[in-house]
């Protein structure tokens, strides 16, 4: 047992060095999160052994690429760089379609557009879906914008087109340019469901509809050299992947989005991440085993170690 522990500690040390010194293979502008190969999240000898040959084909949301790389690295006993070639995500809504068409075995993704549920019903595709982590929809503005917080009502009125100038919400006399995502983006689904809540979102010019989360961040950051733009993304992508560098993440109702306010649900706009597989997956299939593992304490601890907010809560210390 002592020898096993020493091996695991060596793995931790090596992975930490690799994460600090290597180049990231995720679409981020920041150093990669550290993969913690601790005894809590490495499968024991009597558990299923994942190999490159049996590892499930994964797909999902852009903001979950770092988690997928961490899962693959830990379960295969590889570095994140070595495992990254197994991860190729096609964004939220498309990943759900890929699962239905058997182009992948398991997805980890945000809530899809409502059209996906209609498509699943149309094709009689049965699936199992479990929540594994929480996130938040956040709003970003220029770092030069003096506004630090908006209310839910103000955000809704900005995106219905009722509020059109930052001076109406405590800012400077500058026109508000509200960027949006494309209709099938996970963050657009979250915006309509969590924020607008049945209100009709304004129909912006086509150049204000951005196809990618990275593109939206860039659009807000560089808009016309002014502080007028506002946009939205998920907290992990904006903060932990550092895609919001040079921007300001706004508080909502005076509550700053961060792991503690996401976990205690005091931040208003909470989103969820799920793992999804075809219901037909056998109990002993690698996809089903990974699906269950992501919901287990071991999987949840790995999720937490990567700075996501797990659905499972842990005590002060493990026994």
């Amino acid at each position: 047992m002592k020898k096993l522990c020493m091996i695991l500690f060596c793995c931790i040390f090596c992975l930490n060095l690799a994460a600090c010194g290597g180049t990231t293979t995720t679409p981020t502008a920041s150093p990669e999160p550290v993969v913690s190969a601790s005894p809590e999240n490495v499968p024991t000898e009597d558990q299923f052994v994942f190999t490159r040959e049996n590892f499930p084909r994964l797909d999902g949301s852009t903001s979950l690429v770092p988690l997928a790389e961490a899962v693959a690295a830990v379960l295969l006993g590889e570095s994140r760089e070595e495992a990254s070639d197994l991860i190729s995500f096609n964004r939220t809504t498309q990943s759900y379609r890929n699962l239905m068409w058997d182009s992948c075995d398991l997805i980890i993704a945000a809530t899809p557009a409502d059209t996906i549920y209609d498509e699943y019903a149309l094709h009689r595709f049965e699936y199992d879906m479990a929540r594994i982590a929480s996130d938040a929809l956040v709003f970003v503005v220029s770092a030069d914008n003096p506004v630090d917080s908006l209310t839910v009502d103000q955000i809704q009125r900005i995106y219905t087109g009722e509020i059109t100038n930052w001076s109406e919400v405590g800012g400077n006399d500058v026109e508000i340019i509200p960027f949006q995502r494309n209709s099938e983006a996970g963050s657009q689904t979250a915006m309509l469901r969590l924020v607008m809540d049945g209100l009709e979102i304004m129909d912006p010019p086509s150049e204000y509809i951005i196809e990618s989360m990275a593109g939206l961040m860039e659009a807000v950051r560089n808009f016309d050299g002014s502080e007028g733009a506002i946009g939205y993304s998920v907290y992990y992508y904006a903060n932990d992947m550092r895609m919001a560098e040079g921007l300001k993440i706004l508080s909502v109702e005076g509550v700053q989005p961060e792991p503690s306010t996401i976990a205690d649900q005091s931040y208003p706009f909470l989103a969820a991440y799920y793992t999804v597989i075809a219901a037909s997956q056998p109990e002993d299939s690698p996809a089903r085993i990974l699906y269950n593992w992501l919901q287990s304490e071991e999987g949840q601890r790995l999720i937490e170690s990567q700075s996501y907010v797990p659905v499972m809560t842990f005590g002060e210390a493990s026994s």
Side-chain angles (χ1 to χ4, degrees), residues 141-220:
V141 296
S142 166
D144 297 327
N145 193 320
V147 173
D148 295 320
S149 181
L150 292 171
T151 66
V152 172
D153 178 69
Q154 287 170 336
I155 294 171
Q156 290 173 335
R157 292 171 65 197
I158 285 172
Y159 276 93
T160 58
E162 297 173 65
I163 294 178
T164 60
N165 195 289
W166 284 106
S167 63
E168 299 176 66
V169 291
N172 296 323
D173 184 12
V174 176
E175 181 185 5
I176 298 176
I177 305 298
F179 283 98
Q180 296 185 38
R181 287 295 313 282
N182 54 298
S183 61
E184 292 198 340
S187 53
Q188 187 70 7
T189 297
M191 176 66 178
L192 297 176
R193 182 172 54 86
L194 300 174
V195 181
M196 301 311 290
D197 194 25
L199 297 173
E200 186 173 350
I201 198 167
M202 65 188 298
D203 187 15
S206 59
E207 61 267 27
Y208 294 163
I209 299 177
I210 310 299
E211 291 294 316
S212 70
M213 287 197 290
L216 183 139
M217 294 292 184
E218 195 66 19
V220 175

Side-chain angles (χ1 to χ4, degrees), residues 20 28 39 41 63-64 75 97 100 103 129 167 170-171 182 184 201 205 221 231 253-254 270 281 285 300 312 314:
C20 293
T28 74
N41 58 38
S63 56
L64 289 160
L75 295 184
R97 291 195 178 107
M100 177 173 62
S103 297
M129 184 175 188
S167 63
N182 54 298
E184 292 198 340
I201 198 167
R221 186 181 292 112
E253 301 288 355
L270 298 179
Q281 284 283 357
S285 70
Q300 289 286 291
M312 185 181 290
F314 307 108

Side-chain angles (χ1 to χ4, degrees), residues 27 34 47 95-96 100 112 114 131 138 167 181 186 188 193 205-206 213 215-216 221 243 276 285 291 307 311 318:
V34 174
Q47 289 180 317
S95 71
Y96 280 87
M100 177 173 62
D114 289 342
R131 183 170 178 165
V138 301
S167 63
R181 287 295 313 282
Q188 187 70 7
R193 182 172 54 86
S206 59
M213 287 197 290
L216 183 139
R221 186 181 292 112
M243 298 305 289
V276 192
S285 70
Y291 174 84
S307 298
V311 295
S318 302

